[in-house]
Amino acid sequence: MEYTCKDFKVGKCEGEKLVHGETMPLVLQPLVQGKNDLESLIEGLKKNEKWFEEMIIKNSAVLLRGFDVKSAEDFNEIIETFGWEDMRYVGPAPRTHIYKRIWTANEGPLTQFIYYHHEMVLIKESPGKVILFCETPPPEGGETPFVPSFRVTERMMEEFPEWVEELEKKGLRYTFIALSKNDTSSMRGRGWEDTFGTSDPQEAERRANGLGMELEWLPNGGVKAILGPRPLTRVFEGRKGRRMWFNTMVGMYGKEHSSATFADGTQIPKYVVKRCEEIIEEESIQFKWEKGDLLFLDNMALLHGRRPSLPPRRVLVTVTK
């Protein structure tokens, strides 16, 4: 499959990696210098829609750089160029709706590292794509690192084949707490009303059940969500049969507001989780955000996170099927 088409040229960014012959992220820039306006970009994407989506699947991450994209409205117009179905975010991260399909990314404190995850991995239907737009790049830090998920499975199989197979066989059980109200001082500070999109506890339970969760109401007005069993890895169509590390074991293990165990409730050995955390970091890829960058991530193939950052930093997001 060719990287190039007549409307984009392939560029480079600091931090890109070659993973099993695939450049991550694939950087696409204006073909003609100076012809970087929004109209030209949208026209190019419309003409090459199928090719562009193939590049997202092939390379797992595509970075559009050097185009004159300025606002949430511009970002939304670009996303609506494609026929991708919109999805509502469900999860603990505090977010604000900005415009039509566009939201802020996690508004938790910039001093905190948001751990690697597949977006909405806990629910029955996860998004196919996570798309990010850099409106204000941070002066320092604030990268959005991502990790080829299949590489984590490969390396965990090399080091812990028996534990991996036992986890695969039994499945995982997760819990997380949604607070009684939003708390933006925490990267997991979303209240249950925002999490489930309702202020009615019975409706929240109905929606949670539909997403594959059981709810347990807490004396402080918050709610504990219980999920499981959930798979350790998954194989998705069109991705070379790769076994993706499609879980959030490390991110939720032994935390204040969350847990990850075997589905039968027994504990996962701490040394296995610790080594997995090291492997994920070793496999990570990152670049420095530039103003106007658009990053398209294949959520079936990549874990992603957020490095701590100096302010200001403003990255907007949308998720699609």
Side-chain angles (χ1 to χ4, degrees):
M1 189 187 296
E2 291 293 326
Y3 275 133
T4 54
C5 74
K6 63 181 182 179
D7 293 286
F8 299 95
K9 71 176 181 182
V10 175
K12 288 190 171 295
C13 70
E14 189 178 342
E16 69 181 42
K17 284 186 184 178
L18 198 65
V19 182
H20 288 213
E22 297 156 11
T23 305
M24 298 184 188
L26 174 66
V27 180
L28 297 178
Q29 296 177 316
L31 187 66
V32 179
Q33 192 174 5
K35 196 174 181 183
N36 65 341
D37 56 284
L38 182 65
E39 244 177 68
S40 298
L41 172 58
I42 288 172
E43 186 183 341
L45 291 172
K46 279 180 180 172
K47 282 163 63 179
N48 300 282
E49 184 178 337
K50 187 172 183 293
W51 172 85
F52 187 77
E53 186 154 16
E54 285 171 352
M55 291 299 102
I56 296 171
I57 301 300
K58 181 181 185 298
N59 292 77
S60 303
V62 173
L63 176 63
L64 288 176
R65 172 167 282 180
F67 295 93
D68 189 25
V69 185
K70 294 175 179 172
S71 65
E73 290 80 4
D74 292 351
F75 182 26
N76 188 76
E77 195 174 343
I78 290 162
I79 298 308
E80 289 189 348
T81 300
F82 304 99
W84 303 332
E85 191 176 339
D86 191 23
M87 284 189 77
R88 186 185 186 279
Y89 171 72
V90 177
R95 294 185 174 183
T96 301
H97 181 242
I98 301 298
Y99 177 77
K100 291 190 177 178
R101 297 171 65 145
I102 311 304
W103 295 71
T104 57
N106 192 318
E107 292 179 359
L110 290 175
T111 53
Q112 296 180 18
F113 174 49
I114 298 173
Y115 196 69
Y116 301 99
H117 57 285
H118 289 274
E119 200 66 44
M120 292 159 61
V121 69
L122 296 178
I123 67 171
K124 286 181 178 176
E125 186 181 20
S126 305
K129 299 174 191 69
V130 176
I131 306 129
L132 299 149
F133 163 59
C134 182
E135 192 173 61
T136 306
E140 186 180 313
E143 297 91 351
T144 299
F146 57 86
V147 179
S149 199
F150 78 96
R151 286 290 298 140
V152 183
T153 307
E154 286 178 348
R155 293 187 58 186
M156 286 294 287
M157 281 296 293
E158 287 168 11
E159 295 192 32
F160 304 105
E162 286 145 7
W163 281 114
V164 169
E165 290 310 329
E166 188 173 352
L167 282 161
E168 195 76 276
K169 183 180 173 185
K170 290 184 177 178
L172 288 157
R173 177 183 187 266
Y174 302 110
T175 69
F176 74 86
I177 291 173
L179 306 177
S180 58
K181 59 184 179 180
N182 290 342
D183 175 13
T184 54
S185 70
S186 168
M187 62 184 181
R188 290 184 176 272
R190 208 171 197 212
W192 67 264
E193 293 184 21
D194 264 5
T195 297
F196 298 109
T198 178
S199 57
D200 178 353
Q202 287 186 324
E203 178 62 16
E205 288 195 26
R206 191 187 68 77
R207 292 182 184 186
N209 295 163
L211 296 167
M213 305 179 192
E214 296 294 325
L215 297 187
E216 183 182 300
W217 295 94
L218 304 175
N220 64 6
V223 64
K224 181 179 183 179
I226 303 155
L227 310 89
R230 289 289 190 273
L232 182 76
T233 67
R234 286 185 63 182
V235 176
F236 296 100
E237 187 181 347
R239 292 163 180 86
K240 301 184 178 179
R242 289 170 170 170
R243 197 169 159 190
M244 305 299 184
W245 192 254
F246 207 73
N247 65 75
T248 184
M249 179 184 78
V250 176
M252 294 182 75
Y253 181 88
K255 301 294 190 298
E256 182 185 358
H257 293 302
S258 67
S259 69
T261 65
F262 281 102
D264 62 10
T266 56
Q267 292 300 309
I268 305 164
K270 193 171 183 179
Y271 71 90
V272 174
V273 180
K274 179 65 178 170
R275 182 59 189 138
C276 184
E277 183 177 8
E278 292 169 354
I279 287 168
I280 288 171
E281 187 56 58
E282 287 164 12
E283 293 294 329
S284 68
I285 300 165
Q286 68 180 32
F287 60 89
K288 290 201 175 295
W289 281 113
E290 293 183 7
K291 187 174 178 62
D293 278 351
L294 287 157
L295 179 64
F296 293 73
L297 299 177
D298 178 3
N299 191 48
M300 305 290 102
L302 297 175
L303 301 134
H304 70 278
R306 186 196 73 190
R307 300 278 186 214
S309 166
L310 289 179
R313 178 190 189 271
R314 185 171 167 89
V315 173
L316 305 180
V317 66
T318 190
V319 295
T320 71
K321 289 192 176 179

